[in-house]
């Protein structure tokens, strides 16, 4: 898997600048689709367990009070487990406008990489089951395939049991 040229998003530019190997995986995004992860899996022909969605969560800690959970599109974020993983008492999904403003990405294309405001990030431990996983490259219709350990390195994330 060779690193590709920047690809035009902050996520791909950060990966290139860090020298991390990745492959861009474009697909056709349909404007009427609202289940962005399932659409990516279907269009790319990839198991939903290997495609991970990026969820911005309000944990009420510090400034900003947000954090990021990265879980397989086949599952859901366990908010209680996520709160515990970041040392918070509670966790709720951030409002879409907050998620977009904080990340710098459009909802449905939020990458865990190169957020406008760096946030504490936890990646579900099931990512370690695969040689490579897919996450949004920073816009709808574009995924980036990379090694799970490289995702942790570029985001400063930790592993956690946060999916159900």
């Amino acid at each position: 898997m060779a690193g590709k040229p920047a690809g035009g998003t902050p996520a791909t530019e950060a990966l290139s600048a860090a020298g991390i190997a990745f492959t861009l995986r474009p697909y056709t995004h349909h404007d009427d689709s609202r289940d962005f992860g399932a659409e990516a899996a279907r269009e790319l022909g990839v198991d939903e367990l290997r495609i991970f969605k990026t969820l911005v969560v309000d944990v009420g800690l510090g400034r900003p009070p947000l954090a990021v959970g990265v879980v397989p599109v086949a599952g859901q974020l366990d908010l209680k487990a996520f709160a515990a993983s970041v040392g918070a008492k509670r966790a709720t999904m951030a409002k879409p406008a907050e998620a977009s403003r904080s990340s710098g990405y459009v909802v449905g294309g939020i990458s865990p990489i190169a957020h406008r405001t760096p946030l504490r990030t936890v990646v579900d431990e099931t990512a370690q089951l695969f040689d490579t996983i897919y996450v949004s490259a920073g816009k709808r219709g574009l995924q980036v395939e990379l090694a799970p350990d490289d995702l942790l390195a570029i985001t400063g994330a930790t592993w956690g049991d946060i999916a159900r």
Side-chain angles (χ1 to χ4, degrees):
M1 183 167 53
K4 297 281 185 181
T9 71
T12 58
E13 291 168 6
L15 288 165
S16 292
I20 293 176
F22 68 96
T23 303
L24 287 178
R25 300 291 185 194
Y27 63 93
T28 302
H29 166 66
H30 303 280
D31 289 336
D32 61 344
S33 178
R34 291 293 164 245
D35 191 347
F36 303 109
E39 177 187 49
R42 184 176 56 255
E43 292 291 323
L44 293 170
V46 175
D47 188 318
E48 287 188 358
L49 293 172
R50 281 187 64 204
I51 296 186
F52 284 69
K53 57 188 169 185
T54 304
L55 301 169
V56 180
V57 181
D58 185 338
V59 292
L61 296 174
R63 292 279 167 232
L66 303 175
V68 173
V70 183
V71 298
V73 301
Q76 294 182 331
L77 179 65
D78 181 330
L79 290 169
K80 187 174 182 178
F82 184 79
S85 76
V86 298
K89 292 182 181 180
R90 63 160 187 83
T92 59
M93 295 305 298
K95 294 179 179 153
E98 290 176 316
S100 186
R101 186 173 41 256
S102 172
S103 67
Y105 298 113
V106 64
V107 172
I110 296 177
S111 178
I113 303 162
H115 279 218
R116 179 181 293 148
T117 303
L119 300 175
R120 181 154 183 201
T121 301
V122 180
V123 177
D124 188 65
E125 62 192 12
T126 59
Q128 298 172 91
L129 298 173
F130 306 100
D131 291 335
T132 62
I133 60 170
Y134 296 70
V135 296
S136 176
K139 62 184 177 182
R140 295 174 186 164
L142 187 62
Q143 294 279 307
V144 62
E145 181 182 4
L146 75 168
D149 287 337
D150 287 339
L151 178 62
L152 249 60
I154 192 78
T155 61
T158 58
W159 296 119
D161 182 9
I162 59 169
R164 57 180 161 106

